[in-house]
Amino acid sequence: MRIDIITVLPGLLEGPFAHSILKRAMDNGLAEVHVHDLREHGMGKHKQVDDYQFGGGAGMVMMIEPIETLILALQAERTYDEVIFMTPDGEVFDQGMANMLSLKQNLILLCGHYKGVDERLREKYITKEISIGDYVLSGGELAAAVVSDALIRLIPGVLNNETSALSDSFQDDLLSPPVYTRPAEYKGMKVPEILLSGNFKKIDEWRHQMAEERTKQRRPDIWNKKHETND
Ligand code: ADE
């Protein structure tokens, strides 16, 4: 999978891809992330990328031309499955969308800034708009990093144990059960007996039951949706 991220703040995206699982995925050639500094395609001497909005009002708007230039240059090199705009008014990101997008080959993620981007760019080039939640960030960069992380960890071979992405919270519409490690007792707090029993069938049953209880308690919305009847 290749992800091209278009941003006015490339520095914000240096950290997330330089560590741990994402770094290893890139080192192993399983994923490529290319961060493009929009300002390099800015207009005029000052490399302008934003301007006042027509009709007045506070806040600048990202101009169409620098973004179009960059998108067209990328599209001349390869076919993109989606050109995605990161914006709080997009479709809310979830595990289902992550699963679907993780099957794609090439994605462009455009990070919004200021008051947003000229609507004509959205209409002509953007194929999908994603929000990572109902709150407003200073820009789309952190959202693009979140989405990239969620997709890349699903690529086969990225996680050591391929089954571990499948047992993540949300993959089966259940939250994860509680987990414990050594010591078996800490300041009087004991690990549940069952986990020390060596009876893996019983342990699996216990984990499933805990996952169900947790989901019912913490995310009744997910639980009810899963158990909705069609009456
Ligand atoms: N840009 C600003 N806020 C955002 C959000 N919640 N999701 C995606 N992009 C954003």
Side-chain angles (χ1 to χ4, degrees), residues 78-199:
R78 65 197 66 76
T79 303
Y80 284 88
D81 300 287
E82 301 280 5
V83 181
I84 299 170
F85 179 42
M86 305 308 307
T87 174
D89 58 7
E91 190 183 338
V92 178
F93 190 61
D94 64 8
Q95 192 64 49
M97 202 194 292
N99 293 347
M100 190 268 289
L101 288 175
S102 75
L103 302 173
K104 307 288 186 193
Q105 281 304 306
N106 300 311
L107 299 173
I108 293 176
L109 302 187
L110 170 64
C111 303
H113 253 272
Y114 320 114
K115 268 279 160 213
V117 60
D118 191 307
E119 189 66 20
R120 292 166 294 181
L121 183 107
R122 290 169 83 158
E123 285 165 4
K124 184 150 183 211
Y125 292 102
I126 300 299
T127 60
K128 191 169 188 64
E129 305 198 325
I130 298 180
S131 162
I132 61 160
D134 290 341
Y135 42 82
V136 179
L137 302 166
S138 310
E141 286 74 14
L142 299 180
V146 165
V147 168
S148 302
D149 183 313
L151 303 192
I152 291 171
R153 69 196 301 288
L154 292 173
I155 297 171
V158 167
L159 298 183
N160 292 338
N161 173 359
E162 268 199 48
T163 61
S164 72
L166 294 176
S167 63
D168 282 346
S169 277
F170 300 113
Q171 279 300 12
D172 48 7
D173 291 322
L174 286 177
L175 301 184
S176 294
V179 292
Y180 301 84
T181 186
R182 288 191 293 177
E185 182 171 345
Y186 183 71
K187 295 184 179 169
M189 296 180 286
K190 290 186 179 152
V191 168
E193 270 311 307
I194 182 84
L195 296 177
L196 311 176
S197 69
N199 183 337

Side-chain angles (χ1 to χ4, degrees), residues 43 48-64 113-120:
M43 314 288 296
Q48 189 178 353
V49 293
D50 59 335
D51 210 337
Y52 296 102
Q53 50 179 314
F54 280 123
M60 307 293 271
V61 174
M62 291 170 82
M63 299 162 84
I64 190 166
H113 253 272
Y114 320 114
K115 268 279 160 213
V117 60
D118 191 307
E119 189 66 20
R120 292 166 294 181

